[in-house]
Amino acid sequence: MSAVLDEAPALPAAADVLAIAEEVVATYLGADEPLLEVGPGAPAAAAVVSGSVGVTGTARATVTVELDEAAAGRVAVLMLGLDGIPAPEDVADAVGELVNMIGGNVKSLLPEPSVLSLPVVTAGRVLGAADPVVDLHCLWGPHPVRVTVHVPTSTTSPQES
């Protein structure tokens, strides 16, 4: 077997994922409050709204974005051009679209062929059997935002076990 076939698929670099997240935030939420990486010592949100998308194919990964509830509401207001307090379905739509844009760009960094899943949005943190290979702790204005790329803890597919 050749060495190329034995190599694990390339994983995205933290700097590339940060650049993607910064660009998506600036483009769709405005450049007035940029996304700033502050490191793992940043305060975590007590109540979060999480969005996630999966990438399947040559490489497998899950991209998650966690925002505090106030930030998730603000994302909905800015992305959807709403006035007042957004409805829960508007928050879910906006957070889903945010993680979809970030995840789609992360997918472009991974080996082809690959497919992006539909976004899933939930109250609370997304947990699963995956290791974070990129774990960015950021602030968007006063709001903590976490962008994570997870890969499966096992590289064995169900067909191989």
Side-chain angles (χ1 to χ4, degrees):
M1 207 179 254
S2 75
V4 173
L5 294 177
D6 292 336
E7 291 179 14
L11 299 173
D16 293 335
V17 176
L18 179 60
I20 287 167
E22 289 170 336
E23 181 66 26
V24 168
V25 167
T27 301
Y28 294 96
L29 304 178
D32 294 342
E33 289 186 291
L35 186 69
L36 303 171
E37 184 181 21
V38 292
V48 299
V49 176
S50 298
S52 66
V53 291
V55 178
T56 56
T58 301
R60 294 185 337 217
T62 301
V63 178
T64 61
V65 175
E66 296 177 1
L67 307 133
D68 67 19
E69 290 177 340
R74 189 149 183 256
V75 166
V77 167
L78 293 171
M79 285 184 81
L80 303 175
L82 303 173
D83 291 323
I85 299 171
E89 57 271 14
D90 291 331
V91 172
D93 287 348
V95 171
E97 187 56 31
L98 181 68
V99 74
N100 194 54
M101 288 184 285
I102 292 171
N105 282 286
V106 169
K107 174 188 152 302
S108 73
L109 300 175
L110 299 172
E112 291 293 334
S114 60
V115 177
L116 191 67
S117 74
L118 292 173
V120 174
V121 178
T122 186
R125 291 193 159 77
V126 175
L127 302 175
D131 292 324
V133 294
V134 174
D135 190 10
L136 303 172
H137 296 259
C138 303
L139 286 175
W140 177 50
H143 307 287
V145 176
R146 187 174 180 188
V147 178
T148 310
V149 179
H150 309 265
V151 296
T153 54
S154 169
T155 56
T156 304
S157 71
Q159 296 88 352
E160 296 173 327
S161 49

